[in-house]
Amino acid sequence: MPQDRLVGLVFDDRYLAHNTGLDLIEDRAPYPFAEPISHPSSPALVGRAKHLMDLFGIAEQMRRIEPVFASDEQLSVYHTPEHLARVTLIAQTDGGDTGAGAPIGRGGDRIARLAAGGTIAAVDAVMTDAANAAYALARPPGHHAMANEGMGFCVFNNAVVAARQAQRVHGAQRVLVVDWDVHHGNGTQAAFWADPSVLFISVHQDDLYPPGWGAADQVGIGDGEGYTVNVPLPAGTGNRGYDEVFARIVTPVARQFDPDLVIVSAGQDASVMDPLARMSLTLAGYRAMTEEMMSVAAECCEGRLVVTQEGGYAPQYAPYCSAMIAQTLVGLPEDGQWIADPYGGRAEAQPASAELGLDATRAIERGLAVQQCYWAL
Ligand SMILES: [Zn+2]
């Protein structure tokens, strides 16, 4: 990687103050988990990812990008005034749900705005060439947030407001959003459902969350038909299956779209260790997907790539995946060694790292059959 390549990093300790509280379902008695347990979207995950980036000498090779608080105007490109008002109101209390499973604590509106604003700042840096690529290591995440409500741990849709920033402020005509979080990016899909100027591609575990979202035949409507690409995959799909999906669908479609900016909604919850999903990606899988997106960006838009943090809930593994993404953006270290798997390669030894299962093959064939109506594949 050339030394003059600059990769930005958005991180702020205030992200760690986003308080999701305990995981209670109060309208059911007794509690479904017997005793209360910590909410899966813990500050330790993003905090540890940053810590690993420091320990491995990755962060010091990145240029710090200062996050900003997203304004009403910037959020209103997608979100309704009612949602903004509700989030503000809840943040003045001891906390509550901003929609369907997206809790914040007191003051949480400011942190959610700093997450959206951090992703916007990453876009600003990349679109003005202050950085070639950038990683917004922010929380709360964004891709489930709908126009009128928070959802699935997400308060504001960081990727959507960032894509609109690129278009409205920087004149980008076509923006690609690739969402590899293991859950479906329903909020992002809804935002661009009828819009051919933003191509949304989601690779996720089949019908996991939210229910009913992300089937292969959900392709957009009107002028946007064909500009939503869903590739649902069966539980257990690992590095080999994801390689195949990127090589045969994601990358060729992305190249044909020829974006002016690539945004990745990066959820590290497709990892082999994740408690909320059943996929089998390892560090090598995350490196490979990052490299694919870097090559699309290099070919189409001078490398302009923004990675925005979504999910990832394995405390011992997801932060490593995030650090691996950052290391891939920065480039192979001088010692020629990528970050080693913390489990000594046991995760890589899973059969799904090397083998393409029959169910995954069928899912990919199904995805291809749908997408061949719109793209040369
Ligand atoms: Zn997720």
Side-chain angles (χ1 to χ4, degrees):
M1 200 61 65
Q3 287 304 306
D4 56 359
R5 184 183 153 79
L6 276 174
V7 180
L9 175 62
V10 179
F11 178 77
D12 192 295
D13 284 323
R14 285 170 288 182
Y15 290 144
L16 307 183
H18 166 54
N19 182 5
T20 46
L22 291 169
D23 203 359
L24 306 176
I25 300 178
E26 292 174 1
D27 59 356
R28 290 188 210 160
Y31 293 138
F33 311 124
E35 61 280 289
I37 58 173
S38 297
H39 193 280
S41 186
S42 148
L45 292 149
V46 161
R48 190 170 294 145
K50 172 59 166 51
H51 196 184
L52 289 172
M53 290 180 197
D54 291 335
L55 289 172
F56 286 113
I58 301 164
E60 69 187 25
Q61 298 179 66
M62 302 172 87
R63 170 176 290 187
R64 178 176 162 78
I65 297 172
E66 200 70 39
V68 294
F69 293 105
S71 65
D72 283 353
E73 186 193 353
Q74 287 169 327
L75 295 173
S76 297
V77 297
Y78 185 42
H79 295 293
T80 61
E82 293 75 20
H83 181 47
L84 301 190
R86 182 172 53 232
V87 173
T88 303
L89 202 63
I90 292 170
Q92 290 165 359
T93 71
D94 285 340
D97 195 345
T98 63
I104 59 170
R106 183 175 288 277
D109 60 330
R110 299 289 287 166
I111 308 173
R113 281 175 185 257
L114 200 64
T119 312
I120 286 172
V123 165
D124 287 343
V126 166
M127 294 305 290
T128 59
D129 297 330
N132 300 94
Y135 191 161
L137 185 61
R139 69 187 286 272
H143 73 151
H144 295 306
M146 301 289 282
N148 197 37
E149 64 173 358
M151 191 171 164
F153 317 161
C154 302
V155 179
F156 299 130
N157 199 308
N158 306 329
V160 170
V161 300
R164 289 301 188 214
Q165 175 81 359
Q167 294 184 312
R168 292 167 71 242
V169 176
H170 301 289
Q173 295 186 349
R174 290 177 308 282
V175 177
L176 167 66
V177 180
V178 171
D179 186 326
W180 69 47
D181 188 283
V182 78
H183 306 101
H184 182 251
N186 57 291
T188 313
Q189 172 168 304
F192 305 124
W193 187 237
D195 184 348
S197 74
V198 180
L199 171 62
F200 174 65
I201 305 180
S202 181
V203 184
H204 49 271
Q205 186 175 327
D206 194 3
D207 210 12
L208 178 62
Y209 179 87
W213 286 86
D217 59 4
Q218 294 175 13
V219 295
I221 54 166
D223 291 344
E225 185 176 343
Y227 293 91
T228 291
V229 174
N230 280 299
V231 189
L233 295 171
T237 304
N239 296 355
R240 176 76 179 84
Y242 274 77
D243 277 352
E244 194 81 2
V245 171
F246 274 71
R248 296 182 69 187
I249 301 176
V250 178
T251 300
V253 170
R255 286 202 170 111
Q256 287 168 53
F257 180 65
D258 192 19
D260 300 313
L261 169 69
V262 178
I263 295 176
V264 174
S265 265
Q268 281 60 265
D269 43 11
S271 91
V272 67
M273 299 287 180
D274 204 89
L276 298 193
R278 287 293 173 269
M279 296 308 227
S280 295
L281 283 181
T282 70
L283 298 191
Y286 280 100
R287 190 176 73 238
M289 293 194 297
T290 306
E291 285 171 344
E292 281 293 301
M293 292 300 94
M294 290 169 72
S295 91
V296 168
E299 189 174 308
C300 300
C301 49
E302 293 156 21
R304 288 191 288 268
L305 172 65
V306 168
V307 175
T308 180
Q309 178 77 14
E310 301 286 359
Y313 305 101
Q316 73 279 48
Y317 203 78
Y320 271 85
C321 298
S322 298
M324 174 58 88
I325 292 167
Q327 192 176 50
T328 307
L329 292 175
V330 168
L332 185 66
E334 277 177 15
D335 65 6
Q337 298 291 317
W338 295 107
I339 298 172
D341 189 297
Y343 287 92
R346 289 207 302 278
E348 311 279 347
Q350 292 279 302
S353 288
E355 292 171 16
L356 185 61
L358 210 52
D359 289 350
T361 303
R362 283 201 197 98
I364 293 165
E365 295 296 340
R366 166 84 178 128
L368 274 171
V370 173
Q371 297 311 322
Q372 279 163 349
C373 301
Y374 305 104
W375 307 94
L377 299 174

